[in-house]
């Protein structure tokens, strides 16, 4: 752990993908920052989460010097597959949009980001507890933390909350100055990581009477699978045997026949919700990534939104430090939010189309769900719209 500075230009709360990338991109633009992170690095690296990196997100990482291992070890996917009513449909990203996505685990990206901020010399203060923010309504904000029983204060020009969905940064915005929107879905995902070869070269999203299933991967011998489970389910409900048999039952027979199962090396239960807190700025406090918006994982958008928020914010901060301009900072929330809301819409659409909603059997909504999938399976225009959103809209 680095020595704790008493002054910097930008204090970043949270050293996940949003916070680490922000620190690096600021460094590239010659702007100093300090990251204060609640957890240890090992703890952050234990969280297995995203796997899909949008076309432009990958370019951003590559252009800023974080893409070497992603390019060497990640997998370019030029399409994904949808399974429904015994049929499989390939959405041909490359053919429909000329773009692709990269499969590269968030854990690996986080390691790369740690390496690059260490090389940049960005102080990453881990085990920083009780973070508090003051002075954001004036010109000289201050961030306080407690570390191993000692109090530290860091003076700065701006504070950025990148502390994820359970963070505290947004609480420093007065309640009357922000608005939250939320939709909770009546199910969750159970996810398993296993040392088994992926069942397919590409991802498979399956809509089945028993519920949603997703086949993903990390590399040639490591697979990532998810199935929809009840909202109140716990890890204890899902011993490996039950997980594999439920996954098998939800996949088309030709896919299920070649599924290789094995002991799980990691297992999670994650609730699904859409949640947005607006605006992304109050005075000299800014929010980026999951600290301000969470989408259900179905559209693979959360990490990508964290990356796009950060890119907008870096341009705005650089505009201020290089030319004294506040325009970019004033516009940041509106510009970033336009992209966020589109991803909220896309993730909600994917989630609603592919999951089984408990309580809804074969009535109106269930028939609409089928009509939506039938339309997608039959219309190249609908497939292009899905492809365009999945690979990521241009910035
Ligand atoms: P986080 O990763 O949550 O990082 C926040 C950091 O802040 C953490 O390190 C945390 O310890 C720290 N922190 C929290 N509180 C405090 C505090 N009080 N003080 C200081 N530090 C604090 N996204 C995609 O784009 N593609 C996908 O394929 C995808 N798949 C997913 C699959 C699953 C199962 C899940 C759960 C998520 C998935 N996501 C995906 C979403 C993605 O993982 C998140 O959107 C991403 O982690 C957001 O990054 P972040 O840096 O904003 O937040
Ligand atoms: C993965 C996660 C997702 O949410 C998704 O839509 C696709 C892939 C993954 O973890 O590999």
């Amino acid at each position: 752990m680095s020595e704790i500075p008493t002054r910097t230009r930008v204090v970043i709360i949270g050293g996940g993908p949003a916070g680490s990338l922000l620190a690096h991109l600021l460094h590239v633009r010659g702007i100093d920052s300090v990251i204060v992170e609640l957890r240890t690095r090992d703890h952050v690296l234990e969280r297995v989460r995203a796997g899909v990196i949008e076309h432009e997100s990958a370019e951003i990482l590559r252009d800023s010097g974080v893409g070497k291992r992603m390019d060497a070890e990640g997998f370019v996917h030029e399409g994904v597959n949808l399974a429904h009513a015994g049929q499989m449909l390939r959405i041909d990203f490359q053919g429909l949009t000329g773009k692709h996505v990269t499969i590269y685990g968030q854990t690996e990206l986080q390691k790369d980001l740690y390496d690059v901020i260490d090389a940049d010399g960005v102080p990453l203060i881990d085990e920083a507890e009780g973070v508090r923010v003051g002075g954001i309504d004036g010109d000289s904000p201050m961030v306080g933390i407690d570390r191993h029983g000692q109090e530290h204060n860091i003076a700065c020009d701006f504070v950025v909350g990148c502390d994820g969905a359970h963070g505290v940064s947004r609480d420093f915005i007065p309640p009357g100055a922000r608005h939250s929107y939320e939709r909770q879905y009546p199910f969750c995902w159970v996810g398993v990581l296993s040392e088994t070869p992926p069942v397919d070269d590409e991802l498979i999203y399956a809509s089945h009477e028993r519920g949603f299933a997703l086949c993903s991967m990390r590399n040639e011998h490591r697979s990532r699978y998810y199935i929809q489970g009840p909202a109140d389910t716990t890890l204890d409900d899902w011993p490996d045997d039950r997980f594999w048999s439920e996954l098998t039952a939800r996949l088309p027979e030709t896919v299920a026949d070649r599924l290789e199962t094995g002991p799980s090396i990691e297992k999670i239960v994650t609730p699904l919700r859409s949640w947005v807190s607006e605006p992304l700025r109050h005075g000299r406090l800014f929010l980026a990534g999951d600290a301000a918006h969470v989408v259900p994982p179905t559209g693979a958008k959360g990490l990508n939104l964290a990356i796009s928020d950060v890119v907008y914010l870096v341009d705005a901060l650089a505009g201020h430090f290089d030319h004294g301009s506040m325009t970019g900072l004033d516009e940041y929330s509106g510009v970033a939010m336009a992209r966020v809301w589109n991803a909220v819409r896309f993730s909600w659409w994917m989630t609603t189309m592919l999951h089984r909603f408990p309580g809804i059997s074969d009535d109106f909504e269930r028939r609409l769900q089928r009509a939506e999938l039938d339309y997608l399976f039959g219309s190249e225009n609908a497939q292009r719209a899905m492809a365009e959103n999945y690979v990521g809209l241009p910035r």
Side-chain angles (χ1 to χ4, degrees):
M1 207 277 310
S2 345
E3 196 147 302
I4 304 181
T6 53
R7 155 128 214 121
T8 186
R9 285 179 153 184
V10 182
V11 173
I12 300 169
I13 302 172
S20 314
L21 180 64
L22 175 62
H24 173 57
L25 296 182
L26 287 175
H27 172 84
V28 170
R29 306 286 276 263
I31 302 165
D32 292 340
S33 67
V34 173
I35 302 175
V36 295
E37 161 63 51
L38 180 62
R39 308 288 185 183
T40 62
R41 291 187 187 212
D42 286 347
H43 182 104
V44 174
L45 289 174
E46 268 166 27
R47 298 188 293 227
V48 179
R49 284 154 136 203
V52 179
I53 305 201
E54 290 176 357
H55 191 100
E56 267 194 44
S57 299
E59 279 178 354
I60 289 160
L61 295 169
R62 197 172 291 127
D63 290 351
S64 69
V66 198
K68 237 190 186 141
R69 217 159 56 88
M70 174 186 75
D71 283 336
E73 297 174 24
F75 293 87
V76 168
H77 280 200
E78 297 188 347
V80 290
N81 301 284
L82 297 178
H84 154 61
Q87 288 176 288
M88 285 270 274
L89 167 73
R90 180 167 187 269
I91 307 284
D92 177 6
F93 297 154
Q94 198 63 38
L96 292 164
T97 68
K99 293 183 179 177
H100 56 256
V101 295
T102 302
I103 306 301
Y104 189 60
Q106 181 168 330
T107 315
E108 301 309 314
L109 176 61
Q110 185 69 58
K111 279 185 208 157
D112 300 342
L113 287 167
Y114 280 152
D115 286 348
V116 82
I117 59 176
D118 285 345
D120 294 343
V122 173
L124 167 56
I125 316 301
D126 64 358
E127 299 182 294
E129 298 185 335
V131 70
R132 53 224 168 247
V133 175
I136 50 173
D137 289 318
D139 289 343
S140 330
M142 179 76 84
V143 174
I145 55 161
D146 302 321
R147 189 167 191 279
H148 300 171
Q150 279 208 317
E151 192 180 325
H152 301 269
N153 289 299
I154 312 171
C156 56
D157 298 314
F158 295 99
V159 183
V160 185
C162 296
D163 47 350
H166 305 290
V168 297
S169 302
R170 63 183 167 273
D171 297 338
F172 295 100
I173 301 179
R178 68 184 169 100
H179 187 78
S180 296
Y181 304 81
E182 182 161 25
R183 159 83 40 107
Q184 288 191 349
Y185 300 90
F187 38 74
C188 67
W189 277 16
V190 186
V192 155
L193 191 68
S194 63
E195 288 293 349
T196 53
V199 70
D200 198 271
D201 292 343
E202 292 181 334
L203 269 57
I204 301 173
Y205 288 85
S207 162
H208 191 273
E209 287 297 312
R210 300 179 68 90
F212 169 82
L214 167 59
C215 307
S216 183
M217 64 200 68
R218 288 296 176 269
N219 56 45
E220 301 97 331
H221 42 81
R222 187 170 279 200
S223 300
R224 183 68 163 161
Y225 296 105
Y226 299 99
I227 55 172
Q228 168 185 353
D232 58 355
T233 209
T234 65
L235 280 179
D236 291 342
D237 297 333
W238 295 97
D240 287 0
D241 285 353
R242 180 175 178 216
F243 180 88
W244 291 122
S245 74
E246 194 55 48
L247 174 66
T248 308
R250 295 179 190 190
L251 297 175
E253 231 174 272
T254 47
V255 178
D257 285 350
R258 51 176 204 265
L259 177 69
E260 276 190 46
T261 65
S264 61
I265 51 174
E266 192 262 0
K267 201 180 278 166
I268 55 150
V269 164
T270 187
L272 266 70
R273 64 179 181 136
S274 305
W275 167 84
V276 178
S277 174
E278 278 185 304
L280 298 179
R281 174 193 185 186
H282 183 80
R284 289 195 170 230
L285 171 65
F286 293 83
L287 301 175
D290 277 19
H293 41 76
V294 174
V295 288
T298 327
K301 287 284 165 252
L303 173 63
N304 290 294
L305 283 181
I307 293 174
S308 57
D309 282 358
V310 160
V311 170
Y312 291 129
L313 186 54
V314 168
D315 280 345
L317 286 166
H320 174 78
F321 286 117
D322 292 348
H323 314 291
S325 163
M326 286 303 276
T327 310
L329 293 172
D330 290 342
E331 291 174 353
Y332 164 68
S333 186
V335 170
M337 269 301 160
R339 191 176 182 84
V340 167
W341 273 108
N342 192 67
V344 171
R345 183 201 64 78
F346 178 68
S347 307
W348 160 85
W349 174 76
M350 287 273 285
T351 303
T352 306
M353 178 175 66
L354 295 172
H355 288 74
R356 186 75 201 256
F357 282 70
I360 296 172
S361 48
D362 242 357
D363 64 4
F364 186 70
E365 287 188 53
R366 188 88 189 112
R367 291 294 286 116
L368 279 183
Q369 214 175 20
R370 258 197 256 164
E372 185 80 48
L373 277 159
D374 288 344
Y375 173 55
L376 184 59
F377 271 58
S379 160
E380 192 179 293
N381 287 333
Q383 291 164 27
R384 183 172 290 106
M386 175 179 162
E388 179 186 43
N389 281 276
Y390 196 96
V391 300
L393 294 170
R395 267 201 320 122

